């Protein structure tokens, strides 16, 4: 009777305590990349649950079947050697599980590293996301605006984030839109995301970067393309311009609230030149710029030659 009431008390406690809990952000995806990753996590949990249940069932069976019993003093248990079927199952099943999860992981990695599914033919919105102790700077080069510690994005449009750091290594992560990716000082990493639904999401630095790490977060607001265009227009009409002096002040260690500027720091503080995972269009642009530089160099050499002849 006491055991029955103890079990009921535990069950009642669990139900009442978990009632107020919100679902984990990674299990509430709002974009194709996050949905793919959530499905992979649930698949892994399902496989592990089956393994645990089977192992515990076998354990209970063995404990019951081969439990101690009253035998004569001269009783000797029968000699048993390895069973090839048991050994094949114990080795084969884990190998199959690991191989299958490896295949799924590699396949998913290629999917989340490319343009989001359904947005492959769409021109992405490019945002440079750079971190400093302990804040995030978001530069919209096409819109020529910049924000600090908050991010506005349009829904139903591909997003291409260019990540780098102005200090220690950080990790850019919006759990409901996709997995985290590192931002480093000497290179740019590219992260592809998309938001299918309007809403407000949480973003943060997922890599420890000092005493201000816990508050190194930012807010993400997804809205329709029309609302996004209206916001861009409002920023250009009301925000102050971002100067080099102001930007250097923002880079100093510390916490700040949300800030908005016209112009971007990319004009006077360009990002690293080394791009990791850049798109084909960027590579083409870089090659085009290289050809232009080569042509200018030839022109300078020709002018110098003419001057020497003179």
């Amino acid at each position: 009777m006491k055991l029955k009431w103890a079990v009921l008390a535990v069950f009642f406690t669990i139900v009442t305590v978990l009632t107020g809990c919100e679902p984990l952000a990674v299990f509430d995806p709002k974009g194709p990349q996050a949905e793919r990753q959530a499905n992979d996590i649930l698949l892994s949990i399902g496989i592990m649950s089956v393994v645990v249940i089977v192992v515990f069932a076998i354990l209970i069976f063995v404990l019951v079947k081969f439990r101690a019993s009253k035998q004569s003093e001269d009783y000797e248990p029968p000699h048993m050697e390895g069973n090839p079927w048991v050994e094949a199952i114990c080795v084969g099943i884990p190998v199959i599980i690991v191989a299958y999860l490896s295949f799924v992981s590699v396949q998913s990695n290629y999917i989340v590293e490319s343009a989001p599914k359904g947005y492959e033919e769409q021109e992405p919105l490019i945002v440079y996301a750079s971190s400093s102790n302990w804040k995030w700077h978001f530069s919209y080069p096409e819109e020529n605006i910049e924000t600090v510690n908050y991010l506005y994005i349009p829904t139903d449009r591909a997003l291409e984030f260019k990540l780098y750091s102005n200090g220690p290594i950080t990790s850019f992560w919006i759990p409901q839109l996709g997995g985290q990716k590192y931002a480093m000082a000497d290179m740019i990493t590219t992260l592809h995301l998309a938001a299918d639904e309007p809403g407000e999401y949480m973003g943060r630095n997922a890599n420890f970067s000092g005493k201000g790490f816990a508050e190194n977060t930012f807010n993400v607001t997804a809205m329709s393309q029309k609302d996004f265009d209206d916001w861009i227009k409002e920023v250009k009409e009301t925000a102050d311009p971002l100067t080099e002096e102001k930007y250097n002040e923002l880079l100093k260690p510390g916490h700040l609230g949300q800030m908005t500027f016209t112009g971007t720091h990319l004009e006077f503080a360009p990002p690293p030149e080394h791009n990791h995972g850049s798109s084909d269009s960027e590579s083409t642009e870089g090659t085009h710029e290289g050809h232009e530089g080569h042509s200018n160099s030839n022109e300078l050499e020709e002018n110098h030659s003419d001057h020497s002849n003179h």
Side-chain angles (χ1 to χ4, degrees), residues 57-185:
I58 295 174
L59 175 62
I60 294 173
F61 172 78
V62 171
L63 292 177
V64 173
K65 182 174 178 60
F66 299 102
R67 68 187 184 278
S69 59
K70 294 181 180 180
Q71 298 286 348
S72 60
E73 295 182 357
D74 59 346
Y75 170 78
E76 291 185 5
H79 177 71
M80 300 179 65
E81 294 184 358
N83 187 304
W85 286 105
V86 173
E87 294 177 2
I89 292 173
C90 291
V91 175
I93 291 180
V95 169
I96 293 174
I97 292 175
V98 171
Y100 176 67
L101 290 178
S102 299
F103 172 79
V104 172
S105 298
V106 172
Q107 187 181 45
S108 296
N109 186 65
Y110 278 99
I111 291 174
V112 300
E113 284 292 327
S114 58
K117 186 177 180 180
Y119 299 90
E120 295 87 353
E121 304 301 326
Q122 193 180 83
E123 187 71 21
L125 172 67
I126 298 176
V127 180
Y128 282 79
S130 59
S131 62
S132 63
N133 287 332
W134 289 274
K135 57 194 78 73
W136 285 92
H137 311 260
F138 299 103
S139 304
Y140 300 77
E142 296 176 3
E143 290 73 19
N144 198 33
I145 65 172
E146 183 160 327
T147 63
V148 178
N149 289 334
Y150 81 96
L151 177 67
Y152 276 21
I153 56 174
T155 56
D156 301 320
R157 182 176 177 183
L159 307 172
E160 188 172 313
F161 290 94
K162 303 296 184 181
L163 313 176
Y164 66 98
S165 172
N166 291 299
I169 295 177
T170 55
S171 178
F172 180 86
W173 189 29
I174 308 175
Q176 290 180 274
L177 298 185
Q180 64 86 27
K181 202 163 193 178
Y182 290 108
M184 293 165 277

Side-chain angles (χ1 to χ4, degrees), residues 25-40 111-112 114-119 153-159 161 174-179 192-199 201 220 222:
V26 292
F27 293 138
D28 186 25
K30 301 300 182 182
Q33 311 293 61
E35 184 176 3
R36 175 73 187 194
Q37 293 171 333
N39 291 337
D40 289 348
I111 291 174
V112 300
S114 58
K117 186 177 180 180
Y119 299 90
I153 56 174
T155 56
D156 301 320
R157 182 176 177 183
L159 307 172
F161 290 94
I174 308 175
Q176 290 180 274
L177 298 185
H192 298 276
L193 297 178
D196 292 336
E197 301 178 19
Y201 312 124
V220 182

Side-chain angles (χ1 to χ4, degrees), residues 224-235:
S224 66
Q225 183 66 50
K226 180 181 181 303
D227 291 339
F228 180 76
D229 293 337
D230 291 341
W231 172 72
I232 295 294
K233 182 179 179 181
E234 180 184 355
V235 169

